[in-house]
């Protein structure tokens, strides 16, 4: 006799977020969180937050250069993080290009 009904639903993707670049939805863990902070020069900058531990407002992005470029062109980081649209986003670009290799 088969018993033990488990309550785990199969598509266990967890929370879903919208990418600020392509505006597609994806599981939160597949997206890179970014936050507003200070760059190495002390200027306001958008910083990658791969461990999602930084306090404050965050935005989510597919960890690809394509979505990063889209977000930059749309000034989506500034809007999503409620900071100046001209904020420096290079730390995120650097992060992605140093890590981003097509699979
Ligand atoms: Zn995207």
């Amino acid at each position: 006799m088969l018993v033990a009904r488990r309550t785990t639903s199969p598509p266990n993707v967890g929370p879903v977020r919208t990418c600020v670049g392509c505006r597609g939805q994806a599981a939160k863990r597949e997206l890179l969180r970014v936050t507003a902070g200070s760059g190495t020069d002390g200027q306001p900058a958008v910083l990658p937050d791969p461990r999602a531990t930084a306090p404050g407002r965050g935005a989510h992005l597919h960890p690809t250069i394509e979505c990063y470029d889209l977000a930059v062109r749309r000034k989506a980081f500034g809007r999503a993080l409620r900071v100046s649209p001209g904020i420096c986003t290079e730390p995120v670009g650097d992060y992605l290009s140093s890590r981003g290799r097509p699979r």
Side-chain angles (χ1 to χ4, degrees), residues 1 5 8 14 20-22 26 33-34 48-49 55 67-68 70 72-73 75 81 85 89 92 97:
M1 191 165 137
R5 254 194 161 195
T8 43
V20 293
C22 67
R33 183 176 192 259
V34 299
D49 180 24
C67 286
Y68 168 76
L70 277 169
V72 169
R73 254 179 276 159
K75 303 191 189 333
L81 298 170
T89 58
V92 178
S97 53

Side-chain angles (χ1 to χ4, degrees), residues 18-26 31 60-64 66-68 70:
T18 301
C19 169
V20 293
C22 67
R23 297 203 180 156
Q25 291 199 326
L31 299 171
H60 291 82
L61 177 77
H62 285 115
T64 63
E66 285 179 347
C67 286
Y68 168 76
L70 277 169

